[in-house]
Amino acid sequence: MLYQQLCDCLAPLTTTPRQIILALSGGLDSRVLLALLAQYRDQHPQHCYRVVHVNHGLQLQAEQWARQCQHWAAQAGFDCRIEHVELDSALSLEHAAREARYQALQQHLEPEGLVLTAQHGDDQVETFFLALKRGSGLDGLAGMPEVRPLGQGWLVRPLLAQSRAALASYASSHGLSWIDDPSNQQTRFDRNFLRQHWLPEADARWPGFRQAVQRTQRLCAEQSSLLTRFIAPIVENALSDSGALPIAVLPQADPAMAHALLRHWLKRYKLVLTYAQLQVLIRDVIHAKQDANPCLTIADVSIRRYQQQLYVVTPCADLSQWQGELTLEQPLTLPDGLGQLHLLPFEATAPGLALGPLTSTLKVHFNPSGLAMHPVGRQGRRKLKKLYQEAAIPSWLRRRQPIVCDDQGVVAVADHFVRLGASGQQWRLVWQR
């Protein structure tokens, strides 16, 4: 039954050869999944398999456990890698360990690769009550999805429909041993408190209680999916080319609808706001005074308003000292994921800024301080700062616009302006992002 569950889960994800990574903690659950995956590999050898053990260094036995996981992986015929991680002290221990684990796994993940983890049905029930404690909405109460994006691949939980008792029975019948982490008994952690105390009492009082919770989770998932199908077209049709959300699309007379639209938009950036944070966003950013420059910061991400549009602003590098050289028909790779600049032969219907003959080497940088130019179609020279304002370039993007210069000054600002006298029909400046 467990093996068939694994096969059914992987079937739609493995129609072509895939990288398959097993996250092996060494506990009962992942130990069972290791045995199941070995059986699967023998029947599906076309895939590329790997086992990864993440050593959080939280227990004295951590190194011993890592060696044990390597031994079990080798016994099953898998290559096993050990990842040592450091935890973010700003997060709770559980949250920090989870984030570090997923970051470590992503280092091994190829495009469209799969990472398998061994969460099961009992974990899912616990997740429901943890979400309920936080006051979560439909998405949180729906629990963990069987498949979700992870980096450039996918996180897969093939055992979510199975109980821990079923896994324990499999381990016993197949003579498997596993690691018992003593921290799983520490009820200062909320999940352990639920597992050790609250849920056993609920099970004793209400037979079938866990199955009822799982039905509720499935209903929440269905309702969330239906809501997304309704909300998604409204958000996608309203977005600007830069991904900004116009405030006008949020109905003031229908707060529930406005909340749903905002939450869906923020999902694009993997941002989940609490109800309180959502109220702060509406009060202090959306409804801020017209002449304000409002901003709500969540962790290291900011939500900002500019010209009645909302933007999500992620941390970026300081590019003020960066400089590159642009040559004909040779792409210049820009820093910090900003794409490439190209100087290509002019074509009337092709994208890009039209330039005339180029008489000197072109330099590229991002620092507009003190620079001015006389753009085509404008009267007189203007500072770049003023031109950026007139072009409605948000303040946080103004030092991320490629400035192309020759020995006479600014030739062009990619996608925006060309200097009077530098335009023509010989070359085109193309910014590919």
Side-chain angles (χ1 to χ4, degrees):
M1 179 189 245
L2 291 179
Y3 178 67
Q4 190 59 50
Q5 181 77 37
L6 175 65
C7 293
D8 292 345
C9 177
L10 292 183
L13 302 170
T14 54
T15 54
T16 58
R18 284 280 187 273
Q19 179 200 42
I20 300 178
I21 296 173
L22 169 63
L24 179 65
S25 69
L28 167 67
D29 314 333
S30 65
R31 190 71 178 87
V32 168
L33 189 52
L34 175 67
L36 296 172
L37 188 62
Q39 183 180 352
Y40 181 88
R41 178 208 53 213
D42 293 343
Q43 296 188 9
H44 302 84
Q46 70 270 30
H47 304 301
C48 178
Y49 296 89
R50 173 174 293 179
V51 170
V52 177
H53 172 80
V54 180
N55 185 345
H56 299 92
L58 296 175
Q59 301 289 340
L60 293 176
Q61 310 98 310
E63 292 296 335
Q64 177 186 340
W65 293 345
R67 290 191 296 270
Q68 182 64 68
C69 286
Q70 279 187 313
H71 173 70
W72 284 328
Q75 275 188 328
F78 290 108
D79 170 48
C80 181
R81 306 293 177 88
I82 307 298
E83 287 290 340
H84 294 79
V85 298
E86 293 184 5
L87 305 189
D88 186 346
S89 59
L91 304 175
S92 71
L93 184 59
E94 291 170 289
H95 187 187
R98 182 170 59 252
E99 290 298 310
R101 181 163 58 252
Y102 286 139
Q103 288 177 14
L105 291 168
Q106 288 183 63
Q107 295 178 17
H108 296 267
L109 192 56
E110 298 173 357
E112 298 303 315
L114 310 178
V115 172
L116 309 189
T117 60
Q119 288 99 342
H120 47 71
D122 290 29
D123 295 322
Q124 188 76 300
V125 171
E126 293 159 10
T127 298
F128 175 86
F129 287 102
L130 292 173
L132 189 66
K133 178 182 74 71
R134 294 192 299 268
S136 299
L138 288 175
D139 285 347
L141 296 176
M144 298 175 283
E146 188 174 68
V147 180
R148 73 163 177 84
L150 177 67
Q152 56 185 345
W154 301 92
L155 177 68
V156 184
R157 302 179 175 102
L159 303 180
L160 279 183
Q162 302 298 322
S163 67
R164 188 181 190 279
L167 272 63
S169 175
Y170 179 96
S172 176
S173 64
H174 288 76
L176 300 180
S177 56
W178 60 88
I179 294 167
D180 280 318
D181 186 341
S183 68
N184 289 334
Q185 305 302 317
Q186 297 175 6
T187 55
R188 65 189 178 93
F189 298 119
D190 289 340
R191 186 177 290 274
N192 291 344
F193 171 76
L194 287 169
R195 184 178 302 163
Q196 303 295 334
H197 296 291
W198 201 90
L199 285 172
E201 291 187 13
D203 288 334
R205 184 176 182 89
W206 302 303
F209 173 70
R210 293 185 189 232
Q211 290 76 13
V213 170
Q214 290 173 323
R215 286 197 299 272
T216 297
Q217 288 183 300
R218 288 193 292 271
L219 288 171
C220 287
E222 287 180 4
Q223 295 299 314
S224 177
S225 177
L226 286 172
L227 181 61
T228 296
R229 287 162 57 187
F230 172 67
I231 292 293
I234 301 174
V235 173
E236 300 304 318
N237 291 334
L239 293 180
S240 69
D241 292 340
S242 63
L245 181 69
I247 290 176
V249 79
L250 304 174
Q252 294 190 27
D254 190 348
M257 182 66 167
H259 291 176
L261 292 168
L262 283 168
R263 290 189 187 280
H264 183 82
W265 173 64
L266 291 170
K267 278 184 186 178
R268 293 168 54 92
Y269 303 94
K270 299 182 180 178
L271 276 179
V272 179
L273 269 59
T274 65
Y275 183 81
Q277 289 170 332
L278 195 63
Q279 297 308 303
V280 172
L281 172 63
I282 293 170
R283 183 189 69 229
D284 295 348
V285 178
I286 294 175
H287 292 155
K289 293 181 179 179
Q290 291 300 311
D291 59 351
N293 185 23
C295 173
L296 172 64
T297 299
I298 307 293
D300 58 352
V301 177
S302 298
I303 307 171
R304 309 182 71 123
R305 187 192 74 191
Y306 181 76
Q307 295 196 342
Q308 292 305 106
Q309 295 195 101
L310 295 175
Y311 294 81
V312 171
V313 183
T314 55
C316 55
D318 179 4
L319 306 180
S320 58
Q321 302 302 314
W322 186 90
Q323 189 173 97
E325 187 172 301
L326 184 61
T327 56
L328 303 179
E329 300 187 65
Q330 293 294 322
L332 172 63
T333 299
L334 301 173
D336 206 30
L338 287 176
Q340 292 183 324
L341 275 186
H342 298 258
L343 273 177
L344 301 174
F346 178 81
E347 296 178 38
T349 59
L353 298 178
L355 302 177
L358 302 172
T359 59
S360 64
T361 300
L362 297 181
K363 301 292 185 181
V364 180
H365 64 88
F366 294 89
N367 189 355
S369 298
L371 296 180
M373 68 181 297
H374 183 171
V376 172
R378 305 291 184 92
Q379 292 186 352
R381 288 171 58 84
R382 302 190 186 191
K383 290 185 176 181
L384 290 191
K385 178 181 177 181
K386 183 65 175 176
L387 291 173
Y388 288 174
Q389 291 173 344
E390 293 174 358
I393 300 173
S395 58
W396 58 91
L397 294 179
R398 292 174 190 171
R399 289 180 176 267
R400 297 179 68 78
Q401 309 301 309
I403 303 168
V404 181
C405 301
D406 61 12
D407 52 12
Q408 299 179 47
V410 179
V411 173
V413 176
D415 282 1
H416 295 291
F417 317 109
V418 175
R419 184 180 70 208
L420 185 66
S423 64
Q425 296 186 352
Q426 187 161 348
W427 302 99
R428 56 191 175 96
L429 178 66
V430 180
W431 185 8
Q432 290 187 337
R433 285 170 281 186

